[in-house]
Amino acid sequence: MSAIETALRQEAHVWRIKRDAGLSPEEQREFDQWMESDHQHGAAFARAEMGWAMLDQIDFGEAALNETMLDGPQDSISLASGVVADDPIEPQPAPMLQRFAPQMAAGMATALAAAIILFFSGVPTMWFGSPEPEAEQFVSEVGQIKYIRPADGSQITLGAASRLALAMDDKQRIATLQQGNAYFDIASDQARPFTVRTDIGEVRVTGTAFDVQLRDGAIAVAVGKGEVEVTATPEMAATSSKQTTTLSAGQAVTLSGDGEFGLVTKVYPAELGAWRLGRLIYFRAPLSQVVGDINRHIDEPMTIDERAGRIEISGAFNARQIDDLLETIERELPVRIIDQNGARHIAAK
């Protein structure tokens, strides 16, 4: 595939995910002009549309919401009772994917997406010295999504293969994300701000909804509603050029392991917490990142060589169809998947 074809394919899928999130009047005019300017644009968009349909065959309507979750068990935990509840919290489904042209019948088995922040992971340490309540530990297994219901009325969704410690009393609400990712829908309490800690930085709110993900020694935060403050740890802040960033609804930022903030970017509703509905969405993400996410949904972890890991990929995939995702990766990218003593390994061609 030529560089021009690759660029056109990516541009088509950028429009695809933007339409899913909802276009402004100005964006709609730009899209119409783009479609009309070249017949190849319509063909590329058709392939993007069909690609999504082939990989995202789940009805995300409320009646079928349970079918959108991963195959592992999904628990709901009430901190008030300390037991697993029978009525798990159901996350609100992302907007239904709207088909731009039903007559478009040919396409790729990929669905390139737009505007996703790179997510990273680390292992936190307790770097805040103030006294705090005893924490309760929560761990999700591979392929499992877990729902936590604190006594304050908040809702926390813990992603697959993730670890979270939660400490609450009448003065503090503190969550320490130790591994993986979590989505927080926090009940408002002006007297008790809610703080999410990692070893890189913390997120502080009084009441809002936001997503926090850890991978490879960095943290990414995306806000669905309200406002959050992202702050580097004292150790990181001492050497970084900026200590704090404030995010509003629809914004996202990354904080690297050396304490540096990336640019504040726009996050679309379809992207925010998409993993809660079994979607894996990427925009120019290194393949090593994709493999890291895949490994949280399969029992036998995959490996990838350094050269293959640097290859960028954009797409929206179904986390319940990992084999389809791997077939797409091998078909569309200059890599091959080989067996190494029973474990899969991705190598650059």
Side-chain angles (χ1 to χ4, degrees):
M1 182 182 302
S2 70
I4 294 177
E5 291 173 324
T6 299
L8 176 57
R9 172 183 292 188
Q10 182 140 316
E11 191 175 7
H13 290 289
V14 166
W15 279 118
R16 178 62 185 80
I17 193 63
K18 282 185 177 181
R19 284 185 58 84
D20 181 28
L23 298 179
S24 67
E26 182 179 355
E27 288 174 326
Q28 182 64 56
R29 288 191 294 271
E30 292 177 359
F31 173 71
D32 292 341
Q33 292 172 0
W34 180 80
M35 287 285 285
E36 295 169 359
S37 63
D38 191 321
H39 73 278
Q40 294 185 15
H41 292 179
F45 188 84
R47 288 193 295 271
E49 186 75 11
M50 182 57 67
W52 186 289
M54 294 175 68
L55 283 173
D56 190 24
Q57 300 174 13
I58 298 176
D59 178 3
F60 288 97
E62 188 169 352
L65 188 57
N66 288 339
E67 294 300 320
T68 70
M69 296 304 173
L70 307 183
D71 291 331
Q74 296 127 32
D75 299 332
S76 176
I77 291 132
S78 170
L79 295 189
S81 63
V83 299
V84 176
D86 295 328
D87 54 340
I89 299 167
E90 295 183 348
Q92 293 299 312
M96 284 292 294
L97 304 179
Q98 302 297 321
R99 301 296 186 246
F100 175 69
Q103 68 271 26
M104 296 178 176
M108 312 175 292
T110 59
L112 302 185
I116 196 79
I117 53 180
L118 300 183
F119 296 144
F120 307 88
S121 179
V123 180
T125 59
M126 293 298 180
W127 44 269
F128 296 89
S130 59
E132 60 188 51
E134 183 177 353
E136 186 169 358
Q137 299 287 332
F138 299 94
V139 180
S140 60
E141 304 299 329
V142 171
Q144 179 188 45
I145 292 177
K146 183 169 288 190
Y147 307 104
I148 305 168
R149 291 189 291 184
D152 69 341
S154 299
Q155 299 179 1
I156 302 173
T157 307
L158 191 61
S162 299
R163 299 177 63 89
L164 179 84
L166 190 59
M168 301 180 70
D169 61 14
D170 58 354
K171 296 181 180 179
Q172 302 178 82
R173 298 184 293 173
I174 302 169
T176 302
L177 185 60
Q178 301 161 325
Q179 176 181 310
N181 58 304
Y183 185 90
F184 300 87
D185 194 345
I186 303 304
S188 180
D189 188 340
Q190 296 294 326
R192 290 192 303 165
F194 192 100
T195 301
V196 179
R197 297 176 177 171
T198 74
D199 65 338
I200 302 165
E202 74 170 18
V203 183
R204 184 178 174 88
V205 302
T206 54
T208 185
F210 59 101
D211 188 80
V212 181
Q213 302 210 16
L214 297 166
R215 188 181 296 117
D216 297 336
I219 178 177
V221 181
V223 182
K225 63 180 180 180
E227 187 175 271
V228 309
E229 183 179 85
V230 184
T231 303
T233 68
E235 294 82 0
M236 298 296 180
T239 59
S240 63
S241 57
K242 187 177 184 180
Q243 287 74 47
T244 300
T245 291
T246 300
L247 301 177
S248 301
Q251 293 184 324
V253 76
T254 61
L255 176 59
S256 68
D258 59 5
E260 292 296 334
F261 284 95
L263 295 176
V264 174
T265 61
K266 181 177 181 180
V267 60
Y268 293 91
E271 302 168 30
L272 186 62
W275 55 267
R276 295 179 297 152
L277 297 175
R279 297 178 187 169
L280 302 175
I281 300 181
Y282 307 98
F283 178 67
R284 299 186 65 180
L287 192 55
S288 59
Q289 174 185 330
V290 179
V291 170
D293 288 341
I294 289 174
N295 284 342
R296 293 171 54 208
H297 299 290
I298 59 177
D299 293 325
E300 188 67 37
M302 297 182 61
T303 57
I304 185 170
D305 67 36
E306 183 177 356
R307 189 156 66 97
R310 293 195 298 266
I311 298 173
E312 292 184 341
I313 183 172
S314 298
F317 307 100
N318 188 333
R320 297 180 64 184
Q321 299 174 346
I322 295 298
D323 287 340
D324 290 346
L325 169 54
L326 293 176
E327 289 177 7
T328 300
I329 288 173
E330 191 168 29
R331 180 175 60 250
E332 299 292 333
L333 300 177
V335 300
R336 65 183 188 279
I337 300 177
I338 58 181
D339 183 278
Q340 289 187 342
N341 300 321
R344 286 176 289 192
H345 175 79
I346 299 181
K349 290 182 178 178

